[in-house]
Amino acid sequence: GDERGPTLRLAAADLLAAVSTREDLKMARDWIRLEDIEEHYPQIAAAAMILGRHGSPAVDETALIAAMEHMHSGAYSAHLYHPPKRRLVDSLAGLLAHDNPAHVARLMKRYEQEVAKKGDRKESVIEALYWALCKSAGPEARALLEENQRLALPFYEYLKRVDPNHLRGFYERWRDGAGSGELRLDDRPTLFAAIADFGQREDAYRLYNLAASGWDRPLDVEEISYAAQAAAKLIARTGAYALVRDDVAGGLRESLKPNGGLYKRVITAIEVAGEAGSAEDLAALEAILRVNPADVAFVHEMSQHEAAHSWAKLIHRLGLFEQSMPLIQSMLADRNAIVNKAAFEALRLQVLK
């Protein structure tokens, strides 16, 4: 009956994958075949990530796809299973992403065949193939990826490799005053990412306000998240934190309870604090972690989870990991799952350094 279960177990799965080596492949190959998903989804997620890091397509692709199809069935449509599903897709994409021209050609053909199916479409496999092509294909795949655009940020990373000037154009049109109505809906995440990569210090406050206050049309929840992440990246890259320090402090103080702060203000402050914040933001982020999840408004569940990531990133960016170990150890034993998650994330980042 421990309510920490799902969050705590997936955080542990992420840490296990981070510390894994090729010696863990046998364990992962056993776990990926576990059939009781309700009981074993954290082990399956960990197994997928380990296979994605250390496995091979010839040996592991079939088992990964079988696990994906099982977990993507209607019986496991609850929100609880979305994070492990995401890890399965990411892992298969990583396993399949190789820039050998013959391999890319086979991936393109396979992707086209999967998309063309009228029945029995394997959407999770299609998504993984798309992501693998975004990671590894060259200009020859552009028309195919544009025609079937499915994943905004992977497609952005693809364009960043093959046509960065196209992306710079997105930023320049925004800089020169283009409004939201001049973009297709699918292009808005691309725009935010382009501003993060090509924008200048003087753009930082404008982008922060776009994320925290809205554009000339309302942003949906997913767009707010993209804009907040982009603002954080731009502010960190250009050293513009001083321009938004007071806004960040205000956003971190807003309540996560029902009828509390606006999601867009809170999530933007949390993202920026993690990427560019100062030691003064640590206490405010920790206070967000320690709110009882049962008291958090539905819209702010993501805010609290992102605060765990931002707290861990900030600990590392400020060089405070070693001196924070007593705190991290105590956080691992806390009864609040978000506090546990922040501690696991701090340890995972340390392993990956």
Side-chain angles (χ1 to χ4, degrees):
D2 188 347
E3 293 180 358
R4 299 180 301 163
T7 296
L8 181 59
R9 294 174 72 193
L10 279 175
D14 290 339
L15 179 57
L16 176 61
V19 302
S20 67
T21 67
R22 289 188 58 80
E23 293 180 357
D24 297 305
L25 279 171
K26 183 181 183 306
M27 176 188 71
R29 286 166 178 158
D30 289 339
W31 282 5
I32 200 67
R33 291 178 171 83
L34 291 171
E35 294 185 353
D36 187 347
I37 289 179
E38 185 174 352
E39 174 64 25
H40 296 301
Y41 66 88
Q43 291 101 309
I44 295 169
M49 291 184 283
I50 293 169
L51 296 177
R53 291 188 68 192
H54 307 295
S56 69
V59 177
D60 301 307
E61 179 185 343
T62 300
L64 266 173
I65 291 176
M68 288 167 61
E69 291 178 349
H70 192 184
M71 194 174 288
H72 280 75
S73 68
Y76 303 104
S77 59
H79 180 72
L80 167 68
Y81 300 108
H82 291 181
K85 288 177 182 178
R86 180 75 265 155
R87 286 160 174 80
L88 284 163
V89 172
D90 294 353
S91 297
L92 180 59
L95 200 67
L96 295 177
H98 298 284
D99 59 5
N100 175 279
H103 177 78
V104 170
R106 287 194 295 271
L107 273 186
M108 291 175 63
K109 183 176 181 180
R110 183 176 171 189
Y111 178 76
E112 289 179 300
Q113 290 171 339
E114 289 290 343
V115 170
K117 289 180 179 178
K118 300 300 183 184
D120 193 31
R121 281 169 57 102
K122 299 180 175 67
E123 294 297 335
S124 57
V125 175
I126 292 172
E127 191 171 331
L129 290 169
Y130 186 92
W131 201 322
L133 286 168
C134 287
K135 288 172 178 282
S136 58
E140 72 280 4
R142 181 166 180 170
L144 177 66
L145 294 174
E146 282 185 326
E147 181 182 356
N148 299 280
Q149 186 172 340
R150 302 175 63 85
L151 300 163
L153 294 187
F155 185 62
Y156 177 87
E157 293 301 324
Y158 168 79
L159 289 176
K160 192 174 175 180
R161 288 191 298 107
V162 303
D163 192 359
N165 287 333
H166 176 75
L167 298 176
R168 185 183 295 275
F170 274 84
Y171 158 67
E172 291 173 348
R173 288 192 294 276
W174 174 81
R175 180 197 62 193
D176 296 337
S180 64
E182 298 182 31
L183 291 170
R184 295 183 307 146
L185 184 62
D186 288 346
D187 286 337
R188 290 177 187 129
T190 301
L191 169 66
F192 301 144
I195 300 169
D197 281 334
F198 299 103
Q200 304 301 310
R201 191 174 190 272
E202 55 267 26
D203 300 314
Y205 193 70
R206 181 183 171 198
L207 181 56
Y208 186 97
N209 278 323
L210 188 158
S213 302
W215 206 354
D216 52 11
R217 54 166 287 281
L219 301 177
D220 64 28
V221 171
E222 187 174 33
E223 289 175 329
I224 291 168
S225 295
Y226 284 136
Q229 292 163 16
K233 184 176 180 180
L234 176 63
I235 289 163
R237 182 174 65 79
T238 61
Y241 181 69
L243 302 179
V244 299
R245 183 189 305 272
D246 292 343
D247 299 84
V248 171
L252 296 179
R253 287 195 299 267
E254 296 207 11
S255 172
L256 303 189
K257 296 183 178 182
N259 301 316
L262 291 176
Y263 172 75
K264 57 190 176 183
R265 288 204 296 262
V266 175
I267 196 65
T268 304
I270 287 170
E271 293 283 4
V272 173
E275 294 291 340
S278 64
E280 288 73 26
D281 298 318
L282 276 173
L285 285 170
E286 187 177 341
I288 293 173
L289 305 180
R290 294 189 181 279
V291 176
N292 185 340
D295 296 332
V296 172
F298 174 77
V299 71
H300 280 306
E301 289 178 4
M302 184 59 70
S303 302
Q304 202 179 28
H305 280 274
E306 288 304 319
H309 290 286
S310 286
W311 182 87
K313 285 190 286 190
L314 191 52
I315 285 286
H316 280 278
R317 202 166 47 74
L318 297 176
L320 299 176
F321 177 78
E322 295 296 337
Q323 70 186 69
S324 299
M325 271 307 296
L327 173 61
I328 291 170
Q329 289 171 343
S330 70
M331 291 169 69
L332 288 171
D334 200 278
R335 300 293 294 178
N336 182 322
I338 307 298
V339 174
N340 302 150
K341 179 175 181 173
F344 272 111
E345 181 65 7
L347 293 170
R348 188 185 73 87
L349 293 176
Q350 180 68 14
V351 169
L352 294 177
K353 286 178 70 173

